[in-house]
Amino acid sequence: MSGGDTRRSAPSAHPGMAAAQGPVAPSSPEQPTPLSAQRPFSGVTPSVSLAESVLQVWRGAYSSGLLPQLMAHPPAQNGAVPSEATKRDQNLKRGNWGNQIEFVLTSVGYAVGLGNVWRFPYLCYRNGGGAFMFPYFIMLIFCGIPLFFMELSFGQFASQGCLGVWRISPMFKGVGYGMMVVSTYIGIYYNVVICIAFYYFFSSMTPILPWAYCNNPWNTPDCAGVLDTSNITNGSRPPALPGNLSHVLNHTLQRTSPSEEYWRLYVLKLSDDIGNFGEVRLPLLGCLGVSWVVVFLCLIRGVKSSGKVVYFTATFPYVVLTILFVRGVTLEGAFTGIMYYLTPQWDKILEAKVWGDAASQIFYSLGCAWGGLITMASYNKFHNNCYRDSVIISITNCATSVYAGFVIFSILGFMANHLGVDVSRVADHGPGLAFVAYPEALTLLPISPLWSLLFFFMLILLGLGTQFCLLETLVTAIVDEIGNEWILQKKTYVTLGVAVAGFLLGIPLTSQAGIYWLLLMDNYAASFSLVVISCIMCVSIMYIYGHRNYFQDIQMMLGFPPPLFFQICWRFVSPAIIFFILVFSVIQYQPITYNHYQYPGWAVTIGFLMALSSVICIPLYALFQLCRTDGDTILQRLKNATKPSRDWGPALLEHRIGRYAPTIPPSPEDGLEVQPLHPDKAQIPMVGSNGSSRLQDSRI
């Protein structure tokens, strides 16, 4: 047993006979039993199957204290309650994670994505360097971790995806549909980014990187490679030619790099307008197919297969980051780049924009309101300590962002030193960093194809970790919503259908105008709509369902209520920060551009429609629910539509205690005998701070 002095009733004088001859008496109220053994053992009856009989004997032995005598060693532990074994799934229909490490690694892979590499370092140096860390970690503590904990506990308590959890308040089920719409948009364009990383990965399998020099058919006269001018910038040119040196350096500062031309003229064959799709780039289309096949194969058995894959996809990026970091800090000029990244400009802390960027980065990088956190937590065992997991995963995500900044700016500092320019001239964010600036810097390293392979392999793994959860979110929502045996058995086909649909919808993004549409979706489809969804989720749980009810649910699930700090954040602080992010996004809004290309008005309108398409699900479904809810008046219908449905609560009968205790015997199909608890006075075991158990009356 893992801690505590949990007491059980004493075993009978002849334990073997007691187990063989008939029912074992339940524990008395003065001597509590573990949560999984709350029901009295009713013995083996002739009408049940052999498997059910064995299960009943096991429960009876557990409740009477015979388990140490029946088993040579205690079961493996999982979560907060010591009575749960990890060898079998609690939820036989949906399944559970193989162990808790799989859940943590999957959640880390989901939260740690491409944004940690190509957005955080840029935000950090743009907003005061090291001074940006202060508001960043403040927002992590007061907004990031609390929201992360709320979504994990929400999904774990109900063991349902982003649609099923809204039995808590059926009128707000549109929030779940909004999460599905957001995950659909992100899943479509995110896999296109992964496919481009695949393309660069395959292109790196060559002795000389194709973007290293300007002697390729796609290069223009304006191209000037850093390798071609290395002897000049290093001062090896004789001093008798100062005019030529000045001319070449000026040309270098205004140059078009070979990596940029490779990206724009060869990989993308970029068109001149978002409406000019041109041709579909067949190499990118092939890589997109490879990307979707990899995602499908990793999810072919749901969390059972993806949980094994994440041992590699969630950990190996850290190996690659460390290799690149060690190589980067040994380069000349690396220290200059790192200092540029970290040097604090404390005067910027007083700017609202810095705090807005910090809050936005925390909110978006953790994946809040995407539905993925709820979905991943729904496969946890009921008593898993998701409070501990939320702290670990959130801190790991933010630490990865900071660590990636050292890796990126050590290489960029080396490149700036090589060119003799300021670091800001080579720093970039988004696709410009991943596919232009950093690949160009890699050409300066010895054995550059090796470092390029490692870098793009890391990008692929970072993207796949997020993509797994996005696809599983959609599949789980569909399967849970239908909920019959047929769909549960055919879940693989649902996964295949979603993957095929995602591939077909991603084809336009591989055209010559694809990058325009990708950035449009990235800027609008998952922007302020996520903030609105998250804010409504907080309000509906804390103020519609009721904070006291939710705190009691968490206490029943974890054995302790949420800490006071989280209670305050959930009710007041986090919603206020979310509202601040929304206001900041509106005030700081600027029309989207790509390099010097200004998006036309009709394209921006499509972007706003994509953003609204997820938010509009909330009022539309609320009206639909009001129309179908019984009630003589609008007020009565509103009340009935917002109160929890009858099947809200823990998914398994063995966890339905207290106010969730069934008032009628379960059907024989359940396969479990449950002793109904009186709804007005139910015995709820509470785990004290010292690990001991006590009983508490729950009066409803």
Side-chain angles (χ1 to χ4, degrees):
M1 305 305 293
S2 61
D5 54 352
T6 306
R7 302 183 301 276
R8 298 188 182 90
S9 57
S12 61
H14 302 284
M17 295 179 61
Q21 293 178 0
V24 179
S27 302
S28 62
E30 290 76 23
Q31 298 185 0
T33 61
L35 289 176
S36 60
Q38 279 295 306
R39 295 185 304 281
F41 176 52
S42 58
V44 180
T45 60
S47 61
V48 297
S49 65
L50 177 61
E52 293 167 339
S53 302
V54 173
L55 189 59
Q56 291 177 2
V57 170
W58 191 91
R59 287 201 180 90
Y62 206 144
S63 63
S64 60
L66 298 180
L67 189 62
Q69 302 177 40
L70 296 176
M71 300 181 67
H73 54 80
Q77 303 303 315
N78 176 34
V81 172
S83 62
E84 293 194 63
T86 59
K87 296 302 181 184
R88 68 177 182 89
D89 290 343
Q90 281 186 342
N91 196 322
L92 299 179
K93 290 184 177 181
R94 298 180 82 250
N96 296 109
W97 295 104
N99 56 64
Q100 215 49 37
I101 296 178
E102 293 181 5
F103 166 69
V104 172
L105 289 179
T106 301
S107 300
V108 168
Y110 174 65
V112 176
L114 299 174
N116 298 73
V117 173
W118 74 26
R119 179 167 171 80
F120 174 80
Y122 171 80
L123 286 178
C124 198
Y125 92 80
R126 190 184 74 177
N127 290 296
F132 181 73
M133 303 289 186
F134 179 73
Y136 182 72
F137 285 108
I138 290 292
M139 292 301 175
L140 169 67
I141 294 172
F142 287 97
C143 183
I145 297 178
L147 290 178
F148 207 91
F149 181 28
M150 172 179 281
E151 292 202 27
L152 291 190
S153 60
F154 195 22
Q156 180 175 306
F157 182 79
S159 297
Q160 291 287 309
C162 61
L163 291 181
V165 291
W166 290 102
R167 295 168 183 170
I168 192 174
S169 185
M171 183 176 172
F172 291 95
K173 192 174 183 178
V175 174
Y177 284 108
M179 291 178 175
M180 286 187 64
V181 172
V182 169
S183 292
T184 301
Y185 286 137
I186 299 175
I188 291 171
Y189 77 77
Y190 215 83
N191 230 19
V192 175
V193 178
I194 298 173
C195 93
I196 297 175
F198 266 115
Y199 184 86
Y200 270 79
F201 177 77
F202 295 141
S203 299
S204 301
M205 298 178 180
T206 177
I208 300 176
L209 293 176
W211 57 86
Y213 296 98
C214 293
N215 56 355
N216 301 289
W218 60 82
N219 290 127
T220 66
D222 294 331
C223 178
V226 293
L227 294 177
D228 298 330
T229 59
S230 60
N231 58 336
I232 299 176
T233 55
N234 288 333
S236 58
R237 181 66 62 90
L241 300 173
N244 292 339
L245 175 62
S246 176
H247 172 75
V248 173
L249 283 179
N250 288 335
H251 178 66
T252 301
L253 296 180
Q254 300 172 358
R255 68 190 178 92
T256 302
S257 67
S259 63
E260 181 180 351
E261 292 195 350
Y262 179 78
W263 161 253
R264 182 167 49 88
L265 302 178
Y266 183 74
V267 177
L268 301 179
K269 288 191 176 179
L270 191 65
S271 66
D272 57 353
D273 186 71
I274 187 174
N276 182 15
F277 283 91
E279 64 179 11
V280 172
R281 298 285 294 121
L282 293 181
L284 292 182
L285 183 63
C287 290
L288 182 63
V290 170
S291 180
W292 275 111
V293 168
V294 170
V295 173
F296 168 71
L297 292 178
C298 292
L299 288 172
I300 194 168
R301 294 183 58 237
V303 297
K304 291 299 182 184
S305 55
S306 67
K308 303 299 183 291
V309 176
V310 294
Y311 281 104
F312 179 74
T313 60
T315 57
F316 195 74
Y318 291 95
V319 177
V320 178
L321 277 175
T322 302
I323 294 173
L324 293 175
F325 173 72
V326 172
R327 183 68 185 100
V329 296
T330 59
L331 298 172
E332 184 179 0
F335 182 74
T336 303
I338 292 175
M339 290 305 297
Y340 188 88
Y341 166 59
L342 290 180
T343 301
Q345 302 174 32
W346 295 109
D347 56 313
K348 288 198 172 185
I349 280 191
L350 302 178
E351 298 179 11
K353 185 178 185 301
V354 175
W355 289 83
D357 280 345
S360 300
Q361 178 64 12
I362 283 290
F363 183 84
Y364 293 123
S365 66
L366 289 177
C368 297
W370 291 15
L373 299 179
I374 295 175
T375 301
M376 295 302 104
S378 71
Y379 292 102
N380 280 334
K381 295 191 175 181
F382 184 73
H383 296 297
N384 170 64
N385 192 343
C386 57
Y387 166 67
R388 170 202 59 202
D389 295 341
S390 62
V391 175
I392 293 174
I393 298 167
S394 300
I395 293 178
T396 300
N397 173 70
C398 296
T400 303
S401 297
V402 176
Y403 186 39
F406 284 95
V407 177
I408 296 298
F409 274 88
S410 62
I411 299 292
L412 295 183
F414 163 68
M415 183 178 179
N417 178 77
H418 184 87
L419 293 174
V421 298
D422 191 72
V423 178
S424 61
R425 298 294 300 271
V426 295
D428 202 348
H429 71 103
L433 172 65
F435 302 117
V436 177
Y438 207 84
E440 184 178 12
L442 294 175
T443 61
L444 302 175
L445 300 178
I447 323 178
S448 55
L450 172 63
W451 306 112
S452 182
L453 282 170
L454 286 175
F455 176 73
F456 288 110
F457 189 53
M458 178 189 69
L459 290 187
I460 291 170
L461 295 182
L462 289 175
L464 288 177
T466 302
Q467 189 68 17
F468 291 159
C469 296
L470 290 170
L471 186 62
E472 186 63 34
T473 297
L474 299 175
V475 173
T476 299
I478 295 171
V479 172
D480 286 350
E481 184 67 10
I482 299 175
N484 55 40
E485 290 292 334
W486 182 86
I487 197 71
L488 289 170
Q489 295 174 359
K490 304 296 182 182
K491 184 177 179 180
T492 300
Y493 295 100
V494 178
T495 306
L496 177 61
V498 174
V500 170
F503 170 74
L504 295 176
L505 292 172
I507 291 177
L509 301 184
T510 61
S511 67
Q512 291 180 257
I515 192 66
Y516 296 125
W517 290 98
L518 189 150
L519 293 175
L520 185 73
M521 296 176 71
D522 184 41
N523 278 270
Y524 290 96
S527 56
F528 70 87
S529 56
L530 289 176
V531 182
V532 175
I533 290 172
S534 185
C535 187
I536 294 177
M537 183 180 68
C538 281
V539 172
S540 60
I541 295 176
M542 289 293 105
Y543 297 99
I544 305 299
Y545 177 64
H547 63 277
R548 290 188 178 89
N549 290 332
Y550 195 69
F551 298 161
Q552 290 174 8
D553 290 343
I554 291 181
Q555 184 164 357
M556 185 177 76
M557 180 173 65
L558 302 184
F560 57 88
L564 180 61
F565 172 77
F566 285 88
Q567 297 182 22
I568 296 174
C569 285
W570 286 346
R571 295 182 63 193
F572 308 109
V573 181
S574 296
I577 293 177
I578 294 173
F579 183 74
F580 166 71
I581 297 174
L582 179 60
V583 173
F584 169 78
S585 301
V586 173
I587 295 176
Q588 296 291 328
Y589 170 75
Q590 292 180 350
I592 180 175
T593 60
Y594 177 58
N595 292 337
H596 300 294
Y597 175 75
Q598 188 77 33
Y599 278 67
W602 63 267
V604 175
T605 302
I606 292 178
F608 276 110
L609 290 177
M610 283 193 293
L612 290 174
S613 63
S614 57
V615 177
I616 200 66
C617 294
I618 302 174
L620 288 181
Y621 190 87
L623 292 174
F624 169 73
Q625 188 67 23
L626 278 176
C627 294
R628 62 183 295 199
T629 303
D630 296 332
D632 297 330
T633 63
I634 293 294
L635 186 61
Q636 185 64 38
R637 288 190 175 193
L638 186 64
K639 182 178 179 180
N640 292 335
T642 54
K643 71 180 182 181
S645 60
R646 292 183 178 181
D647 54 353
W648 161 250
L652 302 184
L653 291 171
E654 59 188 284
H655 298 137
R656 284 186 169 266
I657 58 177
R659 67 176 183 271
Y660 298 106
T663 56
I664 58 174
S667 61
E669 288 79 8
D670 294 329
L672 295 174
E673 284 195 40
V674 180
Q675 178 68 28
L677 299 176
H678 196 283
D680 294 326
K681 185 176 182 180
Q683 300 292 329
I684 301 180
M686 309 302 293
V687 181
S689 58
N690 61 351
S692 62
S693 297
R694 59 185 176 86
L695 290 177
Q696 174 174 308
D697 291 341
S698 175
R699 302 182 185 276
I700 308 302

